[in-house]
Amino acid sequence: MRFIQLSFASRLVALVAALSVGATLMSSILLSWSNYRAMLAEAEVEGESVARLLARSASLARELPLEVEQMLSQHMIVSAELLAQFVDAAEKAGMTSAEIKNRLSAITEKTVLDEFWVTDEKGYAYIHRDNNADFQFSASAEAQPQAHEFWNLLSGKTDKVVQDARKREIDNERYKYVGVRGIDKPRIVQVGYNARILEKVDEQIGLPRAIDNLLGSGEIDAIFVFNKDSKLIASPKAARLNNGRDRLTDEELAPVRSVIASGKPRSVNGAGKLSVISPIDAEDGGGAIGAALIRMPTARLNSVLASQIETALGIALAATLLGGGMAVWIARKQTAPVVAITKAAHNVERRAFSAGELSDVEERTDEVGQLARVFKKMALDFLDRERTLDALVTQRTQALQERNTELERLSARLSKYLSPQLYGTLFKNKTVASISAKRKKLTIFFSDVVGFSEMAERLESEDITRMLNDFLNEMANLALAYGATIDKYIGDAVMIFFGDPETRGVKEDAAACILMALDMQAMTRQLERRWREQGLDQRFQIRIGVNTGYCTVGDFGSQERMDYTIVGHQVNVAARLEQSAAPGAILISHETMTLVSDAIEVEEQSPLHVKGVSGPIRTYKAIGKKTPSMTEVIHEEREGLRVDVDLLKANKDEAISLLKATIERIRSSE
C-alpha cells in the first residue's frame, strides 16, 4: 500500500530503476544459463565419446579372451597328443601304470598343466593325477553332463574333443578340458587346465582395467557398464564403490533399459554430478549390446555459473545506480507539468478552476504543452456545461414535481372508480393494456333497492342522493372487506363478483359472497334505523341474487376505452335471481347452495322459470349462518378418500359400526 501512495515522480524513479535492473538481470541470467547449458552439452558429448571408447574396449575385451582360449586349446591339443604318444611308448617299453602316473605328476607340478586322464578301451581312467579318484567315463549326458562328450573318442566318431572353460559338476571349479583318441588302441587321453589363467587375461585387458585407467584422470567420477539385459557387468573397484558418492542411484538406473532399447543417449543431472548414459553398439551394426554410464563432476560447471552470476549482480548494481540517477533527472524535468495539470483537475472537480492556472505549462512545445492546452479548453467547456446543466436540472425537477403531484391526484381519483384488485393489477403490471378475456368459474352477486323509483319521487333530491351515497359506500366497504371485485353501479343496483383477479378457491369465494350478502342485509336494516332517526321515515329494503358458474372475464371494449367485466349465461341467471327475490331476501342458485351448505342455512324455494333459460332453475333462500348445533358435520377429504357424517341426521351407532367395518376392509386389503 505504501508503494501505491507514492508520488508520480517517486514511482517513475522506481519504475526506471526496476526496468534497468530487471533487463540487466534477465540478460545476465539468460546468458549464464545458455553458457551453463552449453557446458552441459559439451560434457554430454565427452561422456558419449567415453562411451564409444568403452564400446571399443568392450569389444576388444570380449574378443581377446576368446582368442587366448583358442590358442590355449591348440596348445592343449598338442599336450594331449604328446601324452598319447608318451603313454603308448611307455607301455610298449614295459612301464607300469604307476610309473607313468608318477612321471606325468612330476610334469604337472612344474608346469601349468593341472590334470591328465588316460582310460582303457571301456573308458575307465586308470592313469590320472588324483590318487583318490575312481572315474569311469560314460556316454550318458544325464549322468555326466560334462565328461560324456569325450565318449565319442572311444567309439571312433571323432579324433579330438575341445571343451570351453566351464564349471565342472564335481567341485564347481572352472576348468578347460581337451581330449584325443589313443595311439595304439581306442582310449581317452585328456588334459585339463584350471581357467584361472583366462580370468587373469580378462583382468589384464578387460573392461575393469579400461575403467580404472579412465578414472585415473580425475575428469570422471565413476563408470558402470551394463549388458544387453541391463545387468551390471563392470564398475569401479570395490574400494571405490564403498564410497557412497560412487553408488548407483535409482534416477541413474531407471533410463538404462530405454537407452539400450532405443539406441539414443540420455543424461541425468543430479546434485553435483552429471551422468551420461550411452549405448554400446556392436561393431557389425547389429544394434546396442549394452550401455555405459559415465558419471562426471559438475563442480567446475557450478563454479563457472557462480562466477557469471556474480558478474551479473555487479552489472545489475551499476545499472541500478545509473538508472536511478536518470530516473531522478527525468522525474524533475517531466513531472512538474503533470503535477500542475493534476492540481488543475482537482480545481475543476471543486469548480474553482481559472483560465490562467496552466499558462506556464501551455508555453511548452512538446506533448505536455499540447495536453495542457487541450485540458484547459475541456475544463472551461465542462464548467460552462455544468452551470447550464444545473439550471436545466433545477427547471426539470420542478416540472417533474408538479407532474408527480398531478399524477397522484389523478391516481387517487382513478382509485375511486376501480376495484382495489383491478387498480393494483393495472398499476403493478407494466405492460400496455389490451383486449383479452378468459373463462373462469365465478360467484356473481346482484342487488337492487326495492321501490327506489317511487322513493325518488317522494323524497327531495338532496335526501335521496345522501341516502344512495351512504348505502353504496357501505356496500363497497363490505365488498372490499370480503375481497370482492365491484364490477359496476347501475343506479341503485350493484354488480359484484368473486374469483378474479384474485381467488381463494371456488368454494371459499362462494361462502364469502353469501356472508357478504347477509352482512349487507343487516347493514341495510341499520341504515334504515339511522335514517328514521334523521327524520326520513322511509322503508328501505334490497333484494339479492347469487349464482356460481363459468363466465368470461376480462377486458371488453375498444382500443380507446375498455371495461373490466364479466359476461355469459351465468351472469344472466344471477340477474334473474335478483329480480325474482323477495324484498329483504337473498336468492341463490343450486350450484351456489352446494358450495355453501356446510356453513349457510338455506331453504329451498319453488323452481324459477325465466326468459332465456331453458328449464326451471332450482333456487334457495339464504337464511343465515348455521349455528354450532346446525353445523355438527364431520367432513374430511383426501386424495382417494372422502368422509361426510351429519351428526344431526345420522344414527351414531350405525355410523360407528359402518366405519369400523370399513377400517377392517382396509386392513384386510394390505
Side-chain angles (χ1 to χ4, degrees):
M1 295 301 293
R2 289 182 176 273
F3 179 78
I4 297 176
Q5 295 173 357
L6 293 176
S7 64
F8 175 75
S10 300
R11 282 180 290 180
L12 183 60
V13 171
L15 178 61
V16 173
L19 290 176
S20 301
V21 174
T24 305
L25 282 178
M26 184 61 68
S27 301
S28 302
I29 291 172
L30 290 177
L31 182 60
S32 301
W33 178 251
S34 177
N35 292 337
Y36 181 72
R37 294 301 302 172
M39 288 187 290
L40 284 180
E42 182 181 355
E44 291 179 356
V45 172
E46 293 178 358
E48 293 179 15
S49 300
V50 173
R52 286 193 294 271
L53 177 61
L54 282 176
R56 290 194 294 271
S57 299
S59 176
L60 181 63
R62 188 173 66 253
E63 293 174 358
L64 284 179
L66 295 177
E67 293 177 0
V68 170
E69 187 173 354
Q70 290 177 359
M71 294 173 62
L72 181 62
S73 298
Q74 296 298 324
H75 172 72
M76 292 178 69
I77 291 173
V78 173
S79 299
E81 292 286 354
L82 291 174
L83 178 60
Q85 293 289 342
F86 173 76
V87 171
D88 176 52
E91 288 183 344
K92 288 180 178 180
M95 292 179 66
T96 64
S97 298
E99 290 175 339
I100 296 173
K101 176 179 179 181
N102 291 333
R103 293 283 185 94
L104 293 176
S105 297
I107 294 173
T108 59
E109 292 176 356
K110 297 177 181 180
T111 64
V112 295
L113 181 66
D114 291 306
E115 292 184 2
F116 56 87
W117 300 82
V118 181
T119 70
D120 56 15
E121 295 89 339
K122 296 182 180 180
Y124 177 72
Y126 66 95
I127 298 176
H128 51 80
R129 184 180 180 184
D130 190 354
N131 295 325
N132 298 323
D134 186 13
F135 188 75
Q136 174 80 38
F137 282 86
S138 171
S140 173
E142 295 181 357
Q144 297 179 357
Q146 184 178 12
H148 81 282
E149 294 180 3
F150 294 91
W151 185 262
N152 291 332
L153 296 174
L154 289 177
S155 62
K157 292 182 179 181
T158 183
D159 293 333
K160 58 184 176 181
V161 175
V162 179
Q163 280 188 339
D164 295 333
R166 67 181 69 175
K167 291 182 180 180
R168 59 187 184 182
E169 58 268 18
I170 58 175
D171 56 6
N172 210 26
E173 287 285 337
R174 192 164 180 262
Y175 267 76
K176 181 176 178 64
Y177 288 101
V178 172
V180 298
R181 182 178 173 83
I183 300 299
D184 55 339
K185 59 183 176 180
R187 71 170 74 202
I188 299 173
V189 180
Q190 184 188 74
V191 294
Y193 279 72
N194 193 303
R196 286 192 301 271
I197 186 173
L198 298 176
E199 295 176 354
K200 290 180 179 180
V201 170
D202 187 50
E203 290 178 0
Q204 293 296 323
I205 63 175
L207 283 176
R209 183 71 174 271
I211 290 174
D212 289 338
N213 290 336
L214 289 173
L215 295 178
S217 64
E219 296 293 330
I220 300 174
D221 278 350
I223 298 176
F224 301 89
V225 180
F226 303 86
N227 63 11
K228 192 172 184 179
D229 297 328
S230 304
K231 184 180 293 184
L232 184 65
I233 59 174
S235 62
K237 289 182 178 180
R240 289 177 58 83
L241 284 177
N242 288 334
N243 190 338
R245 67 187 179 89
D246 286 334
R247 296 189 180 279
L248 284 168
T249 63
D250 294 337
E251 291 77 8
E252 292 174 321
L253 289 172
V256 170
R257 188 177 298 276
S258 64
V259 168
I260 296 174
S262 64
K264 297 180 180 179
R266 295 260 314 263
S267 60
V268 179
N269 198 351
K273 60 186 178 182
L274 173 67
S275 299
V276 179
I277 307 168
S278 181
I280 299 176
D281 297 324
E283 292 186 355
D284 57 0
I289 60 174
L293 189 150
I294 298 91
R295 183 189 294 155
M296 296 173 290
T298 57
R300 181 171 60 87
L301 301 180
N302 294 333
S303 63
V304 172
L305 181 61
S307 176
Q308 291 179 347
I309 292 175
E310 290 176 359
T311 303
L313 291 175
I315 295 173
L317 179 60
T320 301
L321 297 176
L322 179 61
M326 292 178 59
V328 171
W329 179 82
I330 293 173
R332 290 179 178 178
K333 185 70 176 177
Q334 299 296 331
T335 58
V338 176
V339 172
I341 295 174
T342 303
K343 182 179 178 181
H346 286 300
N347 291 336
V348 170
E349 184 179 6
R350 295 185 291 109
R351 300 187 181 183
F353 176 76
S354 62
E357 285 189 33
L358 299 177
S359 57
D360 294 338
V361 183
E362 290 181 75
E363 294 176 357
R364 296 172 62 110
T365 59
D366 57 6
E367 293 83 355
V368 177
Q370 183 179 0
L371 174 63
R373 291 188 291 272
V374 172
F375 177 82
K376 175 182 176 180
K377 183 178 182 302
M378 292 177 59
L380 295 175
D381 291 344
F382 171 77
L383 293 176
D384 290 340
R385 291 179 183 177
E386 282 289 302
R387 286 189 288 269
T388 303
L389 183 60
D390 287 344
L392 183 60
V393 168
T394 302
Q395 180 183 355
R396 293 293 176 86
T397 301
Q398 183 178 358
L400 183 60
Q401 289 176 349
E402 294 175 356
R403 181 63 61 87
N404 286 340
T405 303
E406 181 64 25
L407 289 176
E408 288 176 359
R409 288 197 298 267
L410 179 60
S411 176
R413 292 185 61 188
L414 184 61
S415 65
K416 304 297 183 180
Y417 292 89
L418 298 175
S419 65
Q421 299 92 332
L422 181 59
Y423 179 82
T425 301
L426 290 175
F427 278 84
K428 289 178 183 177
N429 191 357
K430 297 182 180 180
T431 59
V432 179
S434 60
I435 298 176
S436 61
K438 56 188 175 182
R439 291 276 293 170
K440 201 169 184 182
K441 196 169 187 178
L442 308 175
T443 297
I444 309 103
F445 168 98
F446 276 92
S447 71
D448 187 20
V449 178
V450 179
F452 182 76
S453 299
E454 294 81 1
M455 189 185 307
E457 293 177 357
R458 292 194 299 270
L459 297 176
E460 296 295 335
S461 60
E462 293 82 2
D463 292 334
I464 196 66
T465 300
R466 179 166 56 84
M467 291 176 61
L468 183 59
N469 286 335
D470 287 347
F471 166 70
L472 294 178
N473 184 61
E474 295 293 339
M475 292 281 283
N477 291 337
L478 286 173
L480 297 179
Y482 279 94
T485 299
I486 302 175
D487 188 295
K488 60 176 67 71
Y489 299 109
I490 310 171
D492 60 317
V494 181
M495 178 180 174
I496 298 172
F497 59 87
F498 285 78
D500 195 81
E502 298 177 358
T503 179
R504 289 169 289 180
V506 176
K507 186 172 182 178
E508 289 76 7
D509 289 342
C513 183
I514 300 303
L515 293 174
M516 178 193 71
L518 292 171
D519 285 350
M520 285 181 174
Q521 291 289 10
M523 176 270 297
T524 302
R525 291 190 289 272
Q526 293 176 5
L527 286 175
E528 185 179 5
R529 289 193 295 269
R530 184 196 310 169
W531 292 332
R532 188 177 296 115
E533 293 174 356
Q534 295 175 0
L536 297 175
D537 189 9
Q538 179 63 44
R539 185 68 174 171
F540 195 87
Q541 291 180 308
I542 62 172
R543 46 175 168 254
I544 298 174
V546 179
N547 180 37
T548 303
Y550 281 95
C551 305
T552 302
V553 58
D555 301 319
F556 295 89
S558 65
Q559 294 292 348
E560 288 72 22
R561 186 181 185 282
M562 291 180 290
D563 281 335
Y564 173 73
T565 185
I566 57 175
V567 296
H569 171 70
Q570 302 299 335
V571 179
N572 185 39
V573 171
R576 298 296 184 183
L577 289 173
E578 179 267 320
Q579 295 170 3
S580 302
I586 303 171
L587 195 61
I588 65 176
S589 65
H590 181 76
E591 178 72 16
T592 305
M593 183 277 297
T594 59
L595 296 172
V596 302
S597 59
D598 291 345
I600 305 299
E601 182 182 0
V602 298
E603 182 180 297
E604 188 170 3
Q605 305 294 302
S606 301
L608 184 63
H609 297 271
V610 298
K611 184 179 180 180
V613 178
S614 61
I617 301 175
R618 295 181 63 181
T619 61
Y620 301 83
K621 180 180 179 181
I623 305 301
K625 296 181 183 179
K626 284 188 175 181
T627 60
S629 61
M630 294 180 180
T631 57
E632 293 184 0
V633 176
I634 298 175
H635 175 76
E636 295 291 336
E637 186 171 357
R638 303 289 187 275
E639 184 177 356
L641 173 66
R642 179 174 178 178
V643 178
D644 290 297
V645 180
D646 190 340
L647 299 178
L648 296 177
K649 298 179 180 179
N651 186 307
K652 294 184 179 179
D653 293 335
E654 184 178 355
I656 293 172
S657 177
L658 181 60
L659 289 173
K660 287 182 177 180
T662 304
I663 293 172
E664 291 299 324
R665 288 184 61 186
I666 294 173
R667 288 177 175 173
S668 62
S669 63
E670 293 181 351

